[in-house]
Amino acid sequence: MEVGSLPVELWRVILAYLPLPDLGRCCQVCRAWRELIFSLDNTRWRQLCLGCPECRHPNWPSQPHLEPPSWREALKQHALATRTWTRNGQELQSSACLLFFRRRKDRRVWHVGPGYEFETLRGALGVVGPYDRVFLHPGVYEEQAEVALKVPVELVGVGRLGEVALLVCIEQQCPTARLCNLVFMPPWFSTVVYKTSWGHVQLDNCNFEGAQLQIRGPGTCQARFCSFSQGSSAHLLGVVLSLLDSCDFSGSDSASVTVEGPPASERNWACKHLAALARSFPSQSSSTPRGHEGSSNDKPEPPGGNVKKENISMEDWKRRTGGDAVCRGTVIEDPWSDGEHSDGEEENQEGTNNTKKLFTLDYKILYDHHGLSHLLKPRADGSLPLASSPNPPSVTPEPLTLQQELDRDPEAQMLASSILGCILRRCVFRDGKGGVHLSNYGQARLEENLFRSLNYAVRCIQHSTIVMLRNEVCECRASGVFLRLSAQGLIAENNIHSNGEAGLDIRKGANPIILCNKIHSGLRSGVVVLGNGKGSVRSNLIYNNKEAGVYILFSGNPVVGNCIFQGQAAGVAINENGRGLITNVIRENQWGGVDIRRGGDPILKNNYICYGYSDGVVVGERGRGLIEGNHVYNKGCGVWVMSSSLPQLLGNYIIHNCMYGLAVFCRKDPDNIEAREGNWPGQEGMGGDVGNGERRGVEGEAREGQENFNEEGELFAWESDLDSEDERHSARRSISVALMEGNCVSFNGVGLYVKSSEALNVFANLMNRNCGPGVAVLQSTQLTRLVTNCIVENGRGGVTVEKDCRVELRGNGIYENSGHGVRFSGSGQIVENDVVSNCGYGIQVSASTDIKVVRNRVQPAQGCGIALLGPVKGVVHDNILFQGHPENKKPLLHTDAGNETCVWVLENPPPRPLASSPTGLSSSQYPSRLGISVTTRVGAAVESGCHSGSMFCSIL
């Protein structure tokens, strides 16, 4: 019979009447017939699949509204799964092959119910033979004592699910059994309705109501399309392998699934078949976790959801922040505001254009080959370096995909491919106390499950191992996933959102690998690591959490490398001796990008901390840490440091921040303590300890689940459990003074702002094109050392030091700033600096009580080279003054009118800062041989009541 003899539509109508066995035979006729049978997927195959009493909708219970890709394939997978229980390895041996087929052919069918062969289940089980089928007709079957299954048997309920109920406790004592279309309720003497300790049981389309399923290794279980309600649960003790697929768990009083103990060393016959079945299940190729109708992940992705290309121009940033992104909100203190100017600065008010005109006639000094000039020169491809670019970086690094992460992490790859312990796939856990609980070396694998409206979704403790792939965890009242007591595992590509506490909570030596998840919309933090918790948290999207995206405290020490954005508080908070290696893209957060306080000592390396609405990095009271190689550009300060802290800032690009590039404040500064200690308007507890509110959040999480901690024997005392094997060990150099070295501080409101009571070392930094001064020291009771820095082209003065400040300026290059090169009113030293082409005075000293100005090379654009105003007490000698402009009317020591077109080159030594200048030496360690040979020495009385010394300068 040819297919073409009738229209295809008519063939489909005819074939729609065939039963399943006949459809299978038709597929074997020829290729044309096979394709014709396959084309019935949405008609006959769908009808057969939904009409099967042993299974439910293929996407039940999580997405029953969605059709599967193929109804025929879904029916095929169901048929294969339902036959696992008959594949007893001993029965399939060649020597027993005929016996096996004879048993299958001779299988008897027994009926139980009123008016049938047996009226009780116990009576039927007393006479059944191996692999017989027992049909239980509608009714309630209750047994007053435990029932034993001694031979392989199949129990099937007749009619719709719910019409056959068993109030029994069954103990399986045979190799295999299958139960289908039954409702289990606990008898009066036990909550356990089914248990096995060495055989395999298969459960299809069954309901458990207030009952417990107990599997003990080497026993195994395969449950499909089952419901566990009214406090029902599954307990798996030492299982090697069990599979729970498409089950619904609701209303649990404790954990819905408990996995306890290491896998038993002995394995039964079903393990290899279950492993093959688990590997044959198709996994979703998309990295997006399965959703659930009505859940919040149906909302559109936030604007920052795709971080592969973050192209934000400066104009976009101005629009986002509501004004000029460079200078808006810059705090310019009175000492250098437009209302107060010295004599040299008053003449500068004619405008920058006037100054530029004067520069065309200057005696020029070439200084562009100083030690940091490579940071300002165009790159080989012609693009501008970050220090010279008028815009911040437009592209941030993109997070890796899961496959890329697995390729570079063998341990994660091994975990992703592991099939061991309890496997849960496509299940729903809802409206109960707990989801999955692992303890005492238990192992579980969770794929494409939905956890919703629980106290917690997953708790993994006591050296257990969890693998979570493509699950959704939402609306938990406490944290979504708890890991503690040396738990480990892989948590990847999950959607964790809208939880009452942290999305992930890692404590007490737990060390998981957390990759490529979406962790968002939490009512507290996204990820919390504390109490010696570790872990590798990488390539996750962490956004829109109410508190810190990642919160590390109490000796937590994770590796964190994610995209953390659009949070309502800090991006990353490190507190209470927290540590960790932090490498993230942190952007668009409401408060600090990274907040370090109270003994926090992380390594912040190669982060992009950008487009935040507050500060980039906040180092609060007793904060420490190595902050290296980061790109920081935000609406507030680039880096805000409290003077009681000891951070190391090395090689960062602190650029395009609307306020200060780096600000160092006193611990008790009344002007800043309210804003920096957590009392932000509309944000409780964020800032101070990220603050007290975040800490309260962790304690709240503890209180929320404290009864569960007590149940599992864990003392909730992580505050006192702070000792770890590598406590306080660090490969970085130890320091006793806050250090800022090798940074590029450009295009900020003010470059460096110091109002501190502690010492500070500032070495080899580039500070250029800031709107205000390059460096402003308003308060410094301890010594602030500025050594071998390049301070160039800032909108006002180069360096400003106010009264009563202790500052040492040594080996710096201060060039082309719009105000004075150095305006100094404190005490200290100005030694071996190049102060060239600044619009005001070269060096202005006033109201100083102890100042030493020695071996500097100074050329002002206009005004005096060195001016001492007011009562000054100090020593000024061995400086070289270069003529700035022939029209300059200020009294220089000497003016050579014939050198109108002279050009000098700074050499012996070359322009400062020197490329090879040491950065960690004290002032007494710099060699005196760096003094400059002079051509002329003149003596001049020091103005304004200087002591009996003299000022000796070289004039060129």
Side-chain angles (χ1 to χ4, degrees):
M1 183 174 59
E2 295 293 335
V3 173
S5 59
L6 290 175
V8 175
E9 292 77 7
L10 186 55
W11 275 117
R12 288 175 178 167
V13 173
I14 296 172
L15 294 173
Y17 290 93
L18 295 181
L20 181 59
D22 291 339
L23 285 176
R25 296 185 185 99
C26 291
C27 285
Q28 299 175 339
V29 173
C30 64
R31 183 174 298 175
W33 276 74
R34 181 181 179 86
E35 294 176 356
L36 182 60
I37 299 300
F38 282 10
S39 69
L40 303 175
D41 191 79
N42 289 325
T43 55
R44 183 55 176 163
W45 290 109
R46 183 178 186 275
Q47 183 183 8
L48 290 170
C49 189
L50 294 178
C52 178
E54 299 179 358
C55 71
R56 307 189 194 189
H57 190 286
N59 287 329
W60 184 89
S62 60
Q63 295 175 311
H65 58 285
L66 294 181
E67 293 196 354
S70 170
W71 289 98
R72 184 192 63 84
E73 186 64 27
L75 188 61
K76 174 185 174 182
Q77 291 295 334
H78 169 71
L80 291 175
T82 56
R83 294 170 186 167
T84 304
W85 77 284
T86 64
R87 302 176 65 183
N88 190 325
Q90 295 180 353
E91 297 290 348
L92 294 178
Q93 294 178 4
S94 58
S95 60
C97 186
L98 295 178
L99 176 61
F100 173 76
F101 283 112
R102 181 181 65 80
R103 284 185 176 178
R104 292 292 301 275
K105 185 177 180 180
D106 294 342
R107 285 181 63 184
R108 295 190 60 180
V109 177
W110 305 88
H111 293 269
V112 179
Y116 291 93
E117 302 162 83
F118 300 96
E119 292 190 358
T120 65
L121 176 61
R122 186 184 297 273
L125 294 179
V127 299
V128 295
Y131 299 98
D132 283 354
R133 174 176 290 186
V134 178
F135 283 112
L136 288 91
H137 291 268
V140 177
Y141 299 87
E142 183 176 5
E143 298 292 342
Q144 300 300 316
E146 190 174 276
V147 176
L149 293 183
K150 298 185 177 180
V151 295
V153 68
E154 182 178 17
L155 303 179
V156 180
V158 177
R160 299 179 59 184
L161 179 63
E163 295 181 355
V164 179
L166 301 181
L167 279 74
V168 297
C169 175
I170 300 176
E171 180 180 4
Q172 179 179 330
Q173 300 175 359
C174 56
T176 183
R178 178 174 184 255
L179 296 86
C180 177
N181 208 38
L182 301 171
V183 175
F184 288 90
M185 299 179 182
W188 64 270
F189 57 90
S190 175
T191 59
V192 178
V193 297
Y194 197 96
K195 57 185 176 181
T196 180
S197 58
W198 65 279
H200 170 74
V201 60
Q202 181 164 329
L203 301 165
D204 292 320
N205 198 29
C206 292
N207 282 2
F208 291 79
E209 297 180 1
Q212 184 182 122
L213 171 67
Q214 186 179 100
I215 309 296
R216 187 181 297 272
T220 55
C221 173
Q222 180 185 359
R224 302 179 71 249
F225 301 110
C226 294
S227 292
F228 293 76
S229 60
Q230 302 177 22
S232 298
S233 60
H235 285 239
L236 298 96
L237 310 174
V239 295
V240 178
L241 194 60
S242 286
L243 176 61
L244 279 67
D245 181 23
S246 301
C247 295
D248 179 54
F249 297 84
S250 62
S252 62
D253 296 328
S254 57
S256 296
V257 176
T258 299
V259 183
E260 184 179 352
S265 56
E266 182 184 356
R267 302 192 175 198
N268 70 8
W269 64 269
C271 287
K272 61 180 180 180
H273 302 293
L274 289 177
L277 186 63
R279 292 190 175 95
S280 69
F281 280 171
S283 62
Q284 292 190 354
S285 59
S286 170
S287 61
T288 304
R290 290 165 58 95
H292 184 79
E293 186 177 25
S295 65
S296 63
N297 70 319
D298 290 328
K299 299 177 182 178
E301 286 296 315
N306 182 5
V307 296
K308 290 187 177 180
K309 295 269 185 191
E310 178 60 19
N311 297 313
I312 302 179
S313 65
M314 203 61 185
E315 289 72 20
D316 295 334
W317 178 229
K318 290 179 182 179
R319 286 195 293 271
R320 291 187 183 193
T321 56
D324 188 344
V326 176
C327 297
R328 182 176 181 271
T330 301
V331 178
I332 304 296
E333 299 281 353
D334 285 341
W336 61 80
S337 67
D338 292 337
E340 296 183 15
H341 295 278
S342 62
D343 294 340
E345 287 180 306
E346 288 174 358
E347 297 181 3
N348 294 340
Q349 298 308 304
E350 299 178 6
T352 306
N353 292 335
N354 225 11
T355 302
K356 297 295 183 183
K357 181 178 179 182
L358 291 176
F359 276 177
T360 61
L361 301 173
D362 276 347
Y363 304 130
K364 295 182 181 179
I365 294 180
L366 300 182
Y367 61 83
D368 56 1
H369 53 294
H370 57 76
L372 299 179
S373 60
H374 61 282
L375 297 174
L376 296 168
K377 294 178 180 178
R379 301 187 181 101
D381 59 1
S383 62
L384 293 174
L386 292 177
S388 301
S389 175
N391 294 314
S394 59
V395 178
T396 55
E398 54 188 77
L400 300 180
T401 64
L402 178 59
Q403 189 57 52
Q404 290 172 325
E405 287 284 3
L406 295 179
D407 289 342
R408 69 174 192 168
D409 190 337
E411 182 182 358
Q413 193 172 27
M414 179 189 68
L415 288 170
S417 60
S418 64
I419 301 290
L420 198 63
C422 178
I423 301 174
L424 292 104
R425 276 193 170 139
R426 298 187 288 257
C427 296
V428 171
F429 298 80
R430 58 186 173 88
D431 305 320
K433 187 170 184 179
V436 179
H437 178 88
L438 287 82
S439 63
N440 193 22
Y441 295 91
Q443 298 189 27
R445 181 184 180 95
L446 282 59
E447 294 187 42
E448 301 177 15
N449 303 286
L450 171 63
F451 299 86
R452 186 186 63 207
S453 301
L454 306 165
N455 276 11
Y456 65 89
V458 177
R459 175 167 289 157
C460 184
I461 65 172
Q462 296 171 344
H463 301 274
S464 298
T465 302
I466 183 76
V467 176
M468 292 183 64
L469 302 176
R470 300 180 296 278
N471 302 278
E472 181 177 1
V473 179
C474 63
E475 302 174 15
C476 293
R477 290 177 284 278
S479 294
V481 180
F482 288 89
L483 299 107
R484 49 184 40 73
L485 296 174
S486 302
Q488 58 184 335
L490 172 66
I491 301 174
E493 289 191 331
N494 301 282
N495 188 9
I496 303 173
H497 65 93
S498 308
N499 296 289
E501 301 290 346
L504 287 156
D505 188 306
I506 304 169
R507 310 186 187 191
K508 285 186 170 290
N511 190 18
I513 301 172
I514 302 170
L515 305 176
C516 304
N517 301 280
K518 290 183 179 179
I519 306 171
H520 63 99
S521 307
L523 300 183
R524 300 199 76 89
S525 298
V527 179
V528 170
V529 185
L530 69 156
N532 293 323
K534 300 177 183 177
S536 183
V537 187
R538 309 193 306 265
S539 296
N540 301 282
L541 300 182
I542 304 175
Y543 59 93
N544 196 31
N545 294 288
K546 191 172 182 180
E547 295 183 357
V550 177
Y551 189 30
I552 306 169
L553 71 165
F554 294 116
S555 298
N557 190 16
V559 175
V560 181
N562 309 279
C563 183
I564 304 172
F565 59 99
Q566 296 181 356
Q568 300 176 39
V572 178
I574 304 101
N575 208 332
E576 304 292 353
N577 300 314
R579 292 179 292 164
L581 173 61
I582 315 297
T583 304
N584 302 273
V585 174
I586 304 172
R587 56 183 173 87
E588 303 174 60
N589 293 285
Q590 291 294 325
W591 309 121
V594 178
D595 194 296
I596 307 168
R597 298 178 190 268
R598 295 184 180 178
D601 190 10
I603 298 175
L604 268 66
K605 198 165 187 177
N606 301 329
N607 296 275
Y608 280 76
I609 306 171
C610 54
Y611 301 120
Y613 296 96
S614 185
D615 303 331
V617 179
V618 175
V619 186
E621 181 181 357
R622 294 188 289 110
R624 302 177 64 91
L626 173 63
I627 304 171
E628 181 177 3
N630 303 284
H631 295 72
V632 186
Y633 40 102
N634 298 273
K635 186 177 179 181
C637 300
V639 180
W640 188 93
V641 178
M642 184 176 285
S643 61
S644 61
S645 59
L646 285 176
Q648 301 180 49
L649 286 88
L650 308 178
N652 301 283
Y653 284 90
I654 306 172
I655 55 179
H656 297 283
N657 295 283
C658 299
M659 293 178 68
Y660 311 113
L662 172 65
V664 183
F665 284 98
C666 288
R667 180 172 179 271
K668 297 299 183 183
D669 183 5
D671 297 333
N672 298 281
I673 189 169
E674 181 176 357
R676 305 299 174 171
E677 285 298 324
N679 300 319
W680 295 93
Q683 176 68 25
E684 273 186 45
M686 226 24 239
D689 7 304
V690 191
N692 297 325
E694 184 77 43
R695 186 179 179 186
R696 286 194 300 269
V698 176
E699 294 170 352
E701 293 167 11
R703 289 192 296 272
E704 180 71 31
Q706 188 167 2
E707 65 275 16
N708 293 326
F709 297 147
N710 294 336
E711 288 172 7
E712 66 202 21
E714 177 185 355
L715 294 177
F716 190 70
W718 39 261
E719 292 93 338
S720 59
D721 184 20
L722 303 181
D723 296 328
S724 61
E725 57 187 1
D726 54 349
E727 178 69 17
R728 313 314 311 153
H729 286 283
S730 176
R732 55 186 182 272
R733 54 180 162 171
S734 176
I735 61 170
S736 57
V737 177
L739 173 65
M740 178 184 179
E741 180 177 356
N743 302 282
C744 174
V745 186
S746 307
F747 296 97
N748 304 288
V750 176
L752 170 62
Y753 179 95
V754 180
K755 196 172 181 181
S756 169
S757 57
E758 303 290 339
L760 175 66
N761 289 334
V762 184
F763 298 155
N765 301 280
L766 173 64
M767 303 177 191
N768 72 303
R769 298 193 183 184
N770 297 287
C771 294
V775 178
V777 184
L778 271 69
Q779 177 181 332
S780 179
T781 55
Q782 301 294 323
L783 181 63
T784 296
R785 302 182 61 218
L786 289 91
V787 180
T788 65
N789 302 283
C790 181
I791 305 168
V792 58
E793 297 184 17
N794 293 286
R796 298 195 179 178
V799 179
T800 297
V801 179
E802 290 303 313
K803 188 176 180 181
D804 299 326
C805 296
R806 294 184 57 201
V807 177
E808 175 186 351
L809 292 170
R810 181 179 292 272
N812 302 283
I814 305 171
Y815 307 117
E816 287 194 34
N817 297 286
S818 297
H820 298 316
V822 177
R823 190 168 74 81
F824 202 102
S825 300
S827 61
Q829 304 182 49
I830 306 175
V831 180
E832 296 174 357
N833 302 282
D834 289 341
V835 187
V836 174
S837 299
N838 298 283
C839 295
Y841 293 163
I843 300 175
Q844 175 190 294
V845 181
S846 61
S848 292
T849 58
D850 185 10
I851 182 67
K852 185 177 182 181
V853 184
V854 179
R855 295 191 298 276
N856 301 282
R857 298 186 291 195
V858 183
Q859 183 209 34
Q862 55 183 342
C864 299
I866 300 178
L868 279 71
L869 307 176
V872 175
K873 195 177 276 190
V875 176
V876 182
H877 65 83
D878 287 338
N879 300 285
I880 298 180
L881 307 182
F882 293 87
Q883 176 68 36
H885 191 274
E887 297 180 8
N888 186 4
K889 304 304 182 184
K890 292 295 178 180
L892 296 178
L893 294 177
H894 178 75
T895 301
D896 186 354
N899 290 332
E900 293 184 4
T901 60
C902 287
V903 176
W904 291 283
V905 176
L906 296 180
E907 56 185 10
N908 190 27
R912 301 182 178 100
L914 304 180
S916 58
S917 293
T919 58
L921 304 177
S922 65
S923 58
S924 62
Q925 291 175 295
Y926 281 90
S928 60
R929 66 175 182 275
L930 295 182
I932 300 173
S933 301
V934 296
T935 57
T936 307
R937 285 182 182 271
V938 296
V942 179
E943 297 182 29
S944 307
C946 183
H947 61 75
S948 58
S950 297
M951 175 177 67
F952 297 97
C953 297
S954 299
I955 304 170
L956 295 181

